[in-house]
Amino acid sequence: MHAREVSTPEPGHHSPYRPPHEAVRGISAGQTPSHPSPAFSTTLITDSYQEGPRKVVVVRGEVDYETAPALSAVLHEALRASTEGVDVDLSGVAFWDCSGLNALLRLRREALAHGKTATVRSPSRMVRRVLTLTGTSRLFLPLRPRLRATEGRSVTPPSRP
């Protein structure tokens, strides 16, 4: 038995796992495409904003092997522009495959290498399913605040006279 060759899909190739539709791929909010969209393209809309020392990236649409490189670029830029890390809001994601998961895992690896964190906010049902099935959801949970030095210690009640 021989291993199948894995290669980059040809332009115009579409995933058999979701219905085709006409859309623009990899467009950030507020941008307009400079060329007509191909018939089998996917939609990815991202937006980001600063929230204290963290950058929040909001992702809407479909994340697959066609749009994951655009998502990775947005996440990388957000991490670079943040002080503590990136929160990724995935509540508006309609399709999510392992390409999206790999983009998140790369973000996490890069964040940890720079002493930052990457968390997932409000994953859609589709994203939650992939994270759960792969056992990776715990990797993107927000860190609990650390207990102050006086908290968490057991206190003995005063003795009665």
Side-chain angles (χ1 to χ4, degrees):
M1 187 174 270
H2 298 286
R4 266 178 56 180
E5 272 189 44
V6 178
S7 62
T8 305
E10 297 177 22
H13 177 75
H14 188 268
S15 171
Y17 301 107
R18 63 185 161 70
H21 67 286
E22 216 167 302
V24 179
R25 82 176 227 213
I27 300 296
S28 293
Q31 288 184 333
T32 54
S34 59
H35 54 24
S37 65
F40 298 113
S41 151
T42 55
T43 303
L44 173 68
I45 299 171
T46 61
D47 197 9
S48 63
Y49 60 92
Q50 197 71 35
E51 191 174 271
R54 302 188 65 77
K55 193 80 165 179
V56 178
V57 176
V58 180
V59 181
R60 292 184 302 276
E62 301 171 355
V63 181
D64 61 10
Y65 61 89
E66 292 175 343
T67 59
L71 176 62
S72 287
V74 168
L75 295 175
H76 173 77
E77 182 58 32
L79 184 63
R80 192 185 67 71
S82 74
T83 306
E84 290 185 5
V86 177
D87 296 334
V88 186
D89 181 336
L90 299 172
S91 60
V93 174
F95 182 82
W96 181 266
D97 68 7
C98 60
S99 302
L101 176 60
N102 284 327
L104 276 182
L105 290 170
R106 279 190 297 275
L107 171 69
R108 181 178 185 271
R109 184 175 44 240
E110 187 178 352
L112 292 174
H114 291 94
K116 300 178 182 181
T117 60
T119 64
V120 170
R121 288 185 178 181
S122 309
S124 68
R125 192 176 120 253
M126 176 74 71
V127 173
R128 192 176 317 112
R129 179 177 164 89
V130 171
L131 293 176
T132 300
L133 288 173
T134 58
T136 55
S137 59
R138 63 179 176 76
L139 299 176
F140 301 101
L141 294 174
L143 296 175
R144 285 187 246 153
R146 293 183 180 162
L147 294 176
R148 291 191 298 246
T150 57
E151 294 176 346
R153 294 183 185 166
S154 60
V155 178
T156 54
S159 58
R160 296 184 184 182

